[in-house]
Amino acid sequence: MRDNGTAASPLAGHPLAVAARLFFLVFTGFFVLLTGIIHICKLFVQWCPAGASCIGQGLTWQTGGDYLNDVNGPNGSNWRSVFTLNPNVIFDLWAPFVLGLISMACFIPAFRWNAICCSWSRAFVWQLFVMLFGAFGYSGNFGIMIGFFIMVGNTLAFACAFVCPDEPCCFDIAIPTGAIGARRRAPASGQPSSQPVGMPEGKPVHGGPAAHPEPQTINHV
């Protein structure tokens, strides 16, 4: 499998590839994820029946009769109409959310799925799939607008496959862990140092090898 690698920075390389990468991250990634979040949030309505005891607005609490009655699913608008493992529901319900996450993961090295973003041709096929099955048809007008933006970005990806095929399809969003590690290793403010007072930094402390120099043997003539 050919792998173009990743760009050194978001703005590095051919201008066409730079634009295509940004469209990939912003629209196929972030805004499709946002489309999924909006779609899920619109389903969080008042699920609790009138007159029933509820926990919040989503869980019905039985106060009489059969306490084991399945009042929170599976039929009707209730908790399990959203949080379900039913294959007839879960794929349609969570599609934009999951597809947006996978697309954004292409820019995070630890989570990248190289099969969909190792070349411009694969990125083109993936974004076409996301546009048809994760944008159009979800969240009303918002999903339609995002779908057309993905179409623009995917046109750029298609052009990159011919104009600059060796350009990377994505770049790394690095998490700055070095500064955090250095901060943890540094002594806290006000914490007493193990270095004796008056002794220059770097000198051995009491008990070190230099504190007890080896005796020198003097040869008498």
Side-chain angles (χ1 to χ4, degrees):
M1 180 187 300
R2 179 179 177 179
D3 191 343
N4 289 3
T6 56
S9 69
L11 303 180
H14 196 283
L16 189 63
V18 171
R21 285 193 293 262
L22 293 177
F23 266 87
F24 191 176
L25 172 64
V26 174
F27 293 103
T28 311
F30 175 76
F31 277 107
V32 170
L33 175 64
L34 183 60
T35 300
I37 294 175
I38 294 173
H39 176 65
I40 296 298
C41 290
K42 293 290 288 185
L43 299 175
F44 280 91
V45 295
Q46 178 68 38
W47 289 334
C48 189
S53 179
C54 301
I55 299 177
Q57 295 184 349
L59 291 171
T60 302
W61 180 263
Q62 288 284 83
T63 56
D66 186 1
Y67 291 101
L68 301 180
N69 190 23
D70 200 4
V71 293
N72 293 298
N75 300 317
S77 296
N78 48 45
W79 184 267
R80 278 164 56 195
S81 65
V82 173
F83 299 101
T84 177
L85 294 179
N86 185 347
N88 296 325
V89 178
I90 189 171
F91 289 106
D92 177 68
L93 189 63
W94 291 90
F97 183 86
V98 174
L99 294 178
L101 278 181
I102 295 175
S103 298
M104 291 194 68
C106 287
F107 297 84
I108 304 175
F111 303 100
R112 180 178 297 123
W113 185 16
N114 287 324
I116 63 174
C117 53
C118 64
S119 66
W120 287 111
S121 58
R122 290 175 180 266
F124 169 79
V125 173
W126 172 252
Q127 292 186 88
L128 180 64
F129 179 83
V130 174
M131 178 183 68
L132 296 176
F133 297 99
F136 291 141
Y138 286 95
S139 301
N141 296 348
F142 185 79
I144 296 175
M145 290 189 297
I146 299 306
F148 279 116
F149 276 111
I150 297 174
M151 184 183 297
V152 173
N154 213 21
T155 303
L156 298 176
F158 182 80
C160 287
F162 297 95
V163 176
C164 48
D166 295 329
E167 283 283 345
C169 307
C170 50
F171 54 86
D172 291 341
I173 299 178
I175 301 176
T177 57
I180 299 176
R183 193 180 303 115
R184 289 179 177 177
R185 290 191 296 270
S189 178
Q191 180 179 351
S193 174
S194 59
Q195 194 76 13
V197 178
M199 180 174 289
E201 291 291 334
K203 296 291 185 179
V205 297
H206 180 71
H212 302 285
E214 296 182 1
Q216 298 181 356
T217 303
I218 303 176
N219 297 324
H220 298 277
V221 179

